[in-house]
């Protein structure tokens, strides 16, 4: 084994060991009530790899309207080998992230060799490899990576990174002295990019990163003047990037179709009238600045933050972000001749961060999520590598190595501590309450923690969490805990409180007709017979297609001793749904005949 391969192998081993130390707790983690349900453990499409499910994966959208067939396929394969146990999904996340760290090392080293050759002597070549290793270490064990490694639902992010890094490695093997359109490696690179976009639309900005690669280190696109960029060899290089931009355009159209036509569980995107373009652009500038400095401030990590609540365009944080973006853009453009690497890294950063700026689809509030930094963090790692390459003296290099080693160790320990937050619903949502001040996410946390307390038999604690959930966000509470809260109030002998609760919930969520049934039950419990039966009868008239409506109403009547009316409801249900086993069983238990 050559010295080069030995060094790279040793660095890869170190990266994998540190990944194991940093993220080992996630292997004992559970599924979370944080999108894992509809994505994985409640998704029946993942239970069997048949033609019908494969058709759904590749020709339809998930309930979140994201087109990610490769991710769904990966989850289905994991299920085929390990069933619906969290361990297999967490193991896949950890292994894939470790692999991505090694791929990043290879990409950074290849970029260095493309830019400046293999070095004049053995010591210089060793330094080049160590610089690549430092960049890979910075990305791999950074606390910002905890969320994308510990959360089952974001396997798609790691798949995107894998395919994009492989795409770069293959692309750099092309012979740029002749037409790329005639080279298999070029089309393979393009295919890997397509697979990345089919894992998650977060990959679509990679085409701009390809453009940046042609600026530096490939030096195929001249940026001295605008005219130079569109003539001669530069023009040919631009033409050869067009297929990548075609993939970007195609997958953007697919994503927009999913958002605006399929919509799914999130509903229609926010309109320009509700969220004007200038507000979106201001938020996007903040996001871009945030992702630029965030890798260099490895503290206060959480899956949701509230930086933009309340939204104030003149707030110090937004102004600071604007200065960061403007300063880096002006600086790198002005020095693009002397330092083309910095210009190319900033251009690639903008492209990779682009899909996370939320210019379309969901609103940019309450603030940026750290998981979206996974791609633009690659550009930050390239910047670290570039800074190390500029260090020339042995003493300065030794100091850099010590600094990188200490930072890597601290990052590893901090990532391990943060990994423990993702162990289960209680640890995760308790951390959410500690990190967030107000808003829908706090309401969601109280909903989940209340349910956990109820399951543990602590009714008082559960009612406390449920009450706080309503105070934080009535909309979230109505969608998540209205019926559970009502059942708990019933169980603790508070039917009057149930009526007040459900009257509020019905106004917020008139589409949830089961709330009406619970309201009818509460009215019957307080001897308001006529009102209660009228509410339940109305539900049957509006939703006769659901046999459970008849069964639930009958159980309410039976509980109130109105057996005769219960039989009538069950008979009516069987007329609508002949032979329904549940309705027949209840009717027979009450002395009736189907």
């Amino acid at each position: 084994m050559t010295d080069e391969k030995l060094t790279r192998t040793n660095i890869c081993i170190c990266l994998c060991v540190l990944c194991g130390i940093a993220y080992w707790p996630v292997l004992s983690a559970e599924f979370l009530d944080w999108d894992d349900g509809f994505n994985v453990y409640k998704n029946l499409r993942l239970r069997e790899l048949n033609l019908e499910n494969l058709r759904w994966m590749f020709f339809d959208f998930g309930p979140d309207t994201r087109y990610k067939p490769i991710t769904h396929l990966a989850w289905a394969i994991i299920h085929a080998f390990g069933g619906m146990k969290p361990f297999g999904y967490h193991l896949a996340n950890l292994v894939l992230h470790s692999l991505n760290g090694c791929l990043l090392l290879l990409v950074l080293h290849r970029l260095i060799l493309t830019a400046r050759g293999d070095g004049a002597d053995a010591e210089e070549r060793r330094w080049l490899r160590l610089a690549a290793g430092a960049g890979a270490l910075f990305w791999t064990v950074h606390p910002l990576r905890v969320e994308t490694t510990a959360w089952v639902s974001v396997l798609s992010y790691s798949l995107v990174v894998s395919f994009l890094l492989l795409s770069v490695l293959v692309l750099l093997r092309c012979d740029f002295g002749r037409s790329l359109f005639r080279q298999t490696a070029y089309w393979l690179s393009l295919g890997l990019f397509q697979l990345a976009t089919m894992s998650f639309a977060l990959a679509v900005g990679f085409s701009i990163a390809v453009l940046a690669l042609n600026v530096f280190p490939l030096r195929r696109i001249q940026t001295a003047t605008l005219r130079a960029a569109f003539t001669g060899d530069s023009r040919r290089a631009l033409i050869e990037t067009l297929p990548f931009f075609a993939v970007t355009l195609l997958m953007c159209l697919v994503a927009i179709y999913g958002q605006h036509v399929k919509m799914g569980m999130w509903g229609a995107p926010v309109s320009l009238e509700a969220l004007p373009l200038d507000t979106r652009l201001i938020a996007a500038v903040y996001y871009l600045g945030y992702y630029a400095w965030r890798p260099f401030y490895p503290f206060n990590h959480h899956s949701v933050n509230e930086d933009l609540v309340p939204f104030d365009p003149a707030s110090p944080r937004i102004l600071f972000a604007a200065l960061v973006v403007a300063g880096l853009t002006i600086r790198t453009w002005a020095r693009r001749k002397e330092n083309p690497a910095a210009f190319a890294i900033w251009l690639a950063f903008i492209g990779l961060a682009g899909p996370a700026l939320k210019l379309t689809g969901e609103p940019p509030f309450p603030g940026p999520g750290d998981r979206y930094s996974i791609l633009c963090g690659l550009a930050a790692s390239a910047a670290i590598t570039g800074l190390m390459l500029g260090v020339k003296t042995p003493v300065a290099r030794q100091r850099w190595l010590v600094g990188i080693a200490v930072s890597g160790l601290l990052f590893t320990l901090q990532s391990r501590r943060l990994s423990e937050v993702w162990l289960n619903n209680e640890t995760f949502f308790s951390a959410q309450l500690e990190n967030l001040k107000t808003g829908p996410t706090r309401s969601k946390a109280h909903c989940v923690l209340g349910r956990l307390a109820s399951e543990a038999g602590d009714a008082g604690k559960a009612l406390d969490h449920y009450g706080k959930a309503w105070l934080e966000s009535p909309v979230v509470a109505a969608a998540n805990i209205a019926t559970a809260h009502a059942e708990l109030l019933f169980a603790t002998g508070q039917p009057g409180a149930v009526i007040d609760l459900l009257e509020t919930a019905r106004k917020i969520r008139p589409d949830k007709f089961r709330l009406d049934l619970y309201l009818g039950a509460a009215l019957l419990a307080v001897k308001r017979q006529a009102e209660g039966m009228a509410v339940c009868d109305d539900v049957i008239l509006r939703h006769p297609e659901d046999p459970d409506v008849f069964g639930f109403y009958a159980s309410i009547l039976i509980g109130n001793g109105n057996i005769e009316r219960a039989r009538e409801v069950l008979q009516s249900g069987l007329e609508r749904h002949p032979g329904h086993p549940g309705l027949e069983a209840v009717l027979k238990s009450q002395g009736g005949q189907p």
Side-chain angles (χ1 to χ4, degrees):
M1 183 180 292
T2 64
D3 182 59
E4 175 184 330
K5 291 183 178 179
L6 181 62
T7 303
R8 288 192 305 192
T9 300
N10 289 337
I11 294 174
C12 284
I13 292 173
C14 288
L15 289 174
C16 292
V17 169
L18 289 174
C19 271
I21 295 172
Y23 308 115
W24 191 262
V26 307
L27 294 180
S28 58
E30 302 171 2
F31 290 121
L32 298 178
D33 289 345
W34 192 246
D35 295 356
D36 284 352
F38 68 79
N39 272 320
V40 182
Y41 67 85
K42 292 181 181 178
N43 191 344
L44 300 180
R45 297 286 189 176
L46 307 181
R47 304 298 174 89
E48 188 177 355
L49 276 171
N50 54 37
L51 289 178
E52 181 183 352
N53 288 340
L54 288 171
R55 186 207 65 79
W56 172 82
M57 292 177 192
F58 284 88
F59 297 100
D60 207 337
F61 294 79
D64 57 351
T65 69
R66 268 63 166 179
Y67 181 70
K68 46 186 183 184
I70 302 301
T71 300
H72 285 127
L73 180 61
W75 281 329
I77 292 172
I78 295 169
H79 180 272
F81 284 95
M84 199 50 71
K85 298 177 182 178
F87 174 79
Y89 297 88
H90 286 297
L91 179 63
N93 275 16
L94 178 56
V95 170
L96 192 58
H97 182 68
S98 301
L99 174 63
N100 286 340
C102 297
L103 286 175
L104 179 57
L105 168 68
L106 298 179
V107 167
L108 291 174
H109 191 227
R110 174 61 62 180
L111 290 173
I112 294 171
L113 297 182
T114 303
R116 57 193 299 175
D118 201 17
D121 52 44
E123 184 60 30
E124 184 66 17
R125 290 194 293 272
R126 176 176 173 273
W127 180 247
L128 300 184
R129 294 191 289 273
L130 289 175
L137 176 67
F138 180 82
W139 182 87
T140 305
V141 298
H142 198 289
L144 286 173
R145 304 289 90 78
V146 171
E147 185 172 0
T148 51
T149 307
W151 187 11
V152 168
S153 286
V154 292
L155 173 69
S156 53
Y157 291 62
S158 293
L159 286 171
V160 165
V161 173
S162 297
F163 287 123
L164 293 187
L165 291 176
L166 287 170
S167 179
V168 173
L169 280 175
V170 174
L171 182 64
L172 292 177
R173 291 187 173 276
C174 291
D175 179 0
F176 295 99
R178 59 192 184 93
S179 174
L180 296 184
F181 293 145
R182 298 181 179 180
Q183 299 184 49
T184 303
Y186 171 82
W187 295 107
L188 178 58
S189 175
L190 183 66
L192 288 166
F193 173 41
Q194 178 70 72
L195 290 176
T197 61
M198 293 171 68
S199 300
F200 193 37
L202 191 67
V204 295
F206 177 69
S207 52
I208 296 178
V210 172
L211 192 68
L213 286 175
N214 278 278
V215 173
F216 189 86
L218 297 176
R219 306 177 195 269
R220 301 179 69 221
I221 297 177
Q222 304 302 313
T223 58
T225 64
L226 190 61
R227 180 181 179 84
F230 290 93
T231 58
D233 291 339
S234 295
R235 181 172 178 271
R236 191 186 80 176
L238 285 172
I239 291 173
E240 289 173 343
T241 64
L242 290 180
F244 286 88
F245 282 95
V247 170
T248 292
L249 177 61
L250 172 64
M251 300 312 293
C252 283
L253 292 175
V254 170
I256 292 171
Y257 173 80
Q259 290 175 347
H260 290 266
V261 179
K262 288 291 186 176
M263 292 190 290
M265 62 187 294
W266 307 126
V270 179
S271 66
L272 282 173
E273 291 76 16
L275 190 65
L277 183 59
D278 59 344
T279 302
R280 297 175 190 240
L281 290 174
I282 292 170
V285 169
Y286 174 72
Y287 271 51
L288 198 60
Y290 176 91
Y291 290 127
W293 62 257
R294 192 69 175 96
F296 305 99
Y297 182 75
F299 307 103
N300 300 329
H301 299 281
H302 37 78
S303 57
V304 177
N305 68 51
E306 300 170 312
D307 288 358
L308 298 181
V309 177
F311 180 71
D312 179 9
S315 67
R317 66 173 73 246
I318 291 181
L319 294 177
F320 175 73
L323 287 174
V324 170
V325 172
L328 287 172
T329 302
I330 294 171
R331 177 71 173 175
T332 56
W333 174 256
R335 293 181 55 82
R336 65 190 183 280
K337 296 179 185 177
E338 298 86 354
N339 193 354
F343 174 68
I345 289 173
W346 180 239
L347 181 61
F349 172 87
I350 294 174
L352 295 173
L357 302 184
K358 298 189 177 181
L359 285 168
T360 63
E362 60 184 300
F365 311 117
D370 286 343
R371 63 186 175 277
Y372 295 113
S373 68
I374 189 169
L375 287 186
C376 42
L378 299 173
S381 298
I384 293 292
T385 298
L387 289 172
M388 288 188 65
L389 294 178
V391 180
K392 300 300 181 183
T393 66
V395 173
R397 287 182 172 181
Q398 192 67 32
R399 289 173 179 169
W400 263 90
L401 289 178
V402 171
I404 289 295
V406 172
S407 298
L409 180 60
L410 292 176
F411 282 1
T412 300
L413 295 177
Q414 188 176 0
S415 293
R416 185 179 181 90
R417 179 181 64 82
L418 291 173
S419 295
E420 294 174 353
V421 170
W422 294 80
L423 287 178
N424 52 55
N425 281 321
E426 185 170 1
T427 58
F428 177 75
F429 287 103
S430 295
Q432 293 280 49
L433 291 180
E434 291 178 6
N435 291 326
L436 301 175
K437 299 183 292 292
T438 185
T441 305
R442 280 184 63 88
S443 180
K444 169 70 173 178
H446 280 301
C447 290
V448 175
L449 292 173
R451 176 178 58 79
L452 294 176
S454 179
E455 291 172 352
D458 192 339
K461 186 177 180 180
L463 288 173
D464 180 59
H465 277 299
Y466 286 161
K468 290 176 179 177
W470 286 96
L471 291 175
E472 295 286 358
S473 175
V475 174
V476 172
N480 288 275
I481 59 162
T483 54
H485 195 181
E487 288 176 352
L488 193 56
L489 289 171
F490 264 126
T492 53
Q494 304 177 64
V498 173
I499 294 172
D500 294 336
L501 170 75
L502 294 176
E503 288 285 7
T504 301
R506 290 173 73 205
K507 294 175 183 177
I508 298 171
R509 295 297 303 269
D511 57 308
K512 296 192 72 171
F513 62 86
R514 291 182 186 276
L515 296 177
D516 294 338
L517 292 174
Y518 277 92
L519 177 60
L523 291 168
L524 290 170
V526 296
K527 308 305 180 184
R528 292 162 63 177
Q529 302 288 332
E531 292 178 66
M533 292 178 65
V535 169
C536 294
D537 288 341
D538 181 64
V539 176
I540 285 181
L541 290 174
R542 289 186 288 117
H543 298 282
E545 74 285 352
D546 189 342
D548 291 341
V549 169
F550 295 89
F552 189 84
Y553 184 16
S555 67
I556 293 172
L557 293 167
I558 292 168
N560 282 272
N562 196 340
I563 306 301
E564 183 178 348
R565 177 57 181 152
R567 291 172 183 166
E568 292 175 3
V569 169
L570 291 168
Q571 290 285 7
S572 177
L574 286 169
E575 289 175 7
R576 284 277 185 175
H577 307 279
H580 190 279
L583 297 180
E584 287 185 347
V586 176
L587 182 58
K588 289 178 180 179
S589 71
Q590 300 304 315
Q593 292 297 322

